[in-house]
Amino acid sequence: MAPTDLLPKSPDTGSRSLRREIGLIGLMWASVGSIIGSGWLFGAKEAVVVAGPAAIISWGIGAVAIILLALVHAELGGMFPVAGGTARYPHYTFGGLAGMSFGWFSWLQAATVAPIEVEAMIGYAQHWSWASGFQHPNGTLTASGFVIAVVLMAVFVAVNFLGVRLLAHTNSAATWWKIAIPLLAIFVLAITHFHTGNFTSQGFAPFGAKGILAAISTSGIIFALLGFEQAIQLSGESRNPKKDIPRAVLGSVAIGALIYMLLQVVYIGALPGSSFVHGWANLAYTGISGPFAGLATVIGLGWLAWILYLDAIISPAGTGLIYTTSTSRISYGLSRNGYAPQLFEATDKRGVPWFGLIISFVTGVICFLPFPSWQQLVSFITSASVLMYAGAPLAYGVLRNRLPDRERPYRLPAGQVIAPVSFVIASLIIYWAGWATLWRLGVAIILGYILLGSYAAYARSKNLPNAPQLDWKAAQWLPVYLIGIGVISWQGGFGVGSEGHIHLWWDMGLIAVFALAVYYWAVAVGLKREDIERNIDEVAVVDEGGH
């Protein structure tokens, strides 16, 4: 049987192929547009409250972590230019159980970003009197705010239905704006209001190493830097994926990291001394709910504040738009791998996976209910995101060992060192999110196993053509890893509700040793060469059909 026969076209799903219509700029701007969203509007303020001026170090650590993860993804993205790529690499190398797990992590991450951006838009809109009734004082949505949030989610979905080419053009235009406005803010604040004394007057690192590390996950730093994978998720619609995917991934991370670090520096330098006279943890000034715009108003730059309030609508909207796209492509990839009904592969006449978009909308609306505030959503999504990224270094290690001669448009130098290091870093970022966030993530993971596992069991019982092989042996390390991270977090000192029995530095050393052990264990038990090639042929090759 030919690979393309494995997933036959059925009359109730219509066309099931995507259109390769996106060039390098479209791919890079998809990633840059995702990286520069609500994170730049809130991240600098949230980070300085947790870490003080040492938040600059937090951004540096976060940037290095994301760059290492991006390097690994760049090689994999060039090798496998398929839609929803991050959800599929573990499937190739560890089979069904690991593929289903990381596919769920990927989808969970993507599906919850758009609601976060909507929350950010509504939060900043409180500046205008007409929007003052959309949120309660604690940040939760009022009835009218919920309606507005649903409408905004519907707009994201509607634009996606117009096709990937128009989406790419729309996102590119928005991204030029999203880059220009932060650069304008950096320039203006640096030349008009910059006080070097702000960095030391209350102590450079008043909360010590714990504050620096906690800021990486809990204040939105990692969340702000995430998004480079959007180019990978759209690989199935790239005109020249083998060359363009690595360039787009690495280029977007470089642009985003530089902008965010400069924003943190000028934010600290521009603050009036009265705003942190009671310590960085009690930072306060008029309009702080919209940190940069409020700051511009306080220091007499009303014209800049007006531009920033406008940008607070455009930047998060652009990010929410592209993540809505990503969610439907990941569910498309999950279906290709056999973890979700084939209806998720159904595309309309414009090549848009319409059912995935509808589910994206429904999920986004639900997310407004259990996690109503931006900060709660950020902590949750950061952990889900990094858990998703952690699958790539593992897949990389297996592919370098089992398929060393396979074509690699981009070959990562020192990859056998960078891959395990990046897996350790991903594990640390998950840990730093804290127990209060991780136990919620654990509930979401269990829910995913129930949903996807039930479908996989159904598909196998009915002998459906894309029923997955779960390959328990190749994924034997996965439950140990998930439970182990949870137990260490519970007994460690990060986050409300943790026991605090494992002290600072000892806990991180334990995470590092544990992660390295899991990495080499996973690489050792990964699928054999012939099984990996079969998975690639059965899933990746079929994506080439119909283009």
Side-chain angles (χ1 to χ4, degrees), residues 304-466:
L304 179 61
W306 187 91
I307 294 175
L308 293 177
Y309 280 120
L310 179 61
D311 179 70
I313 302 298
I314 297 175
S315 284
T319 302
L321 179 66
I322 201 65
Y323 267 100
T324 302
T325 308
S326 176
T327 303
S328 64
R329 272 54 176 183
I330 292 173
S331 59
Y332 180 97
L334 284 171
S335 180
R336 286 292 202 197
N337 284 351
Y339 309 135
Q342 289 185 318
L343 186 58
F344 282 97
E345 299 171 48
T347 57
D348 62 17
K349 63 182 180 180
R350 295 185 176 90
V352 175
W354 60 270
F355 188 71
L357 281 177
I358 293 174
I359 297 299
S360 173
F361 170 76
V362 173
T363 305
V365 171
I366 292 173
C367 283
F368 293 128
L369 301 176
F371 296 102
S373 77
W374 190 87
Q375 194 57 42
Q376 286 176 307
L377 279 167
V378 165
S379 294
F380 180 81
I381 200 60
T382 296
S383 300
S385 300
V386 182
L387 195 52
M388 170 192 79
Y389 290 135
L394 300 174
Y396 176 98
V398 174
L399 290 167
R400 275 292 183 97
N401 286 347
R402 309 292 200 276
L403 276 68
D405 300 325
R406 187 178 179 88
E407 179 187 2
R408 288 168 167 82
Y410 169 76
R411 181 177 287 269
L412 175 60
Q416 297 290 45
V417 175
I418 291 176
V421 170
S422 64
F423 184 68
V424 169
I425 290 174
S427 302
L428 285 168
I429 295 171
I430 295 168
Y431 171 69
W432 291 332
W435 172 245
T437 295
L438 293 189
W439 77 259
R440 291 181 174 89
L441 181 60
V443 172
I445 289 172
I446 293 172
L447 176 62
Y449 281 136
I450 293 173
L451 293 175
L452 300 186
S454 298
Y455 177 77
Y458 168 79
R460 290 180 60 79
S461 68
K462 297 296 183 180
N463 294 317
L464 297 183
N466 67 336

Side-chain angles (χ1 to χ4, degrees), residues 97-109:
L97 181 60
M100 179 177 69
S101 302
F102 284 95
W104 173 248
F105 305 155
S106 299
W107 186 87
L108 184 68
Q109 176 261 351

Side-chain angles (χ1 to χ4, degrees), residues 245-315:
I245 297 302
R247 295 172 183 173
V249 168
L250 299 179
S252 64
V253 172
I255 293 171
L258 178 61
I259 289 176
Y260 276 116
M261 292 188 73
L262 291 175
L263 283 167
Q264 184 68 74
V265 170
V266 298
Y267 180 77
I268 296 172
L271 285 168
S274 59
S275 65
F276 55 90
V277 68
H278 298 296
W280 289 105
N282 300 303
L283 180 67
Y285 55 86
T286 303
I288 195 173
S289 60
F292 272 98
L295 175 60
T297 302
V298 167
I299 61 179
L301 298 174
W303 63 272
L304 179 61
W306 187 91
I307 294 175
L308 293 177
Y309 280 120
L310 179 61
D311 179 70
I313 302 298
I314 297 175
S315 284

Side-chain angles (χ1 to χ4, degrees), residues 211-226:
I212 293 172
L213 298 175
I216 297 172
S217 287
T218 61
S219 69
I221 287 177
I222 290 296
F223 172 76
L225 293 168
L226 296 176

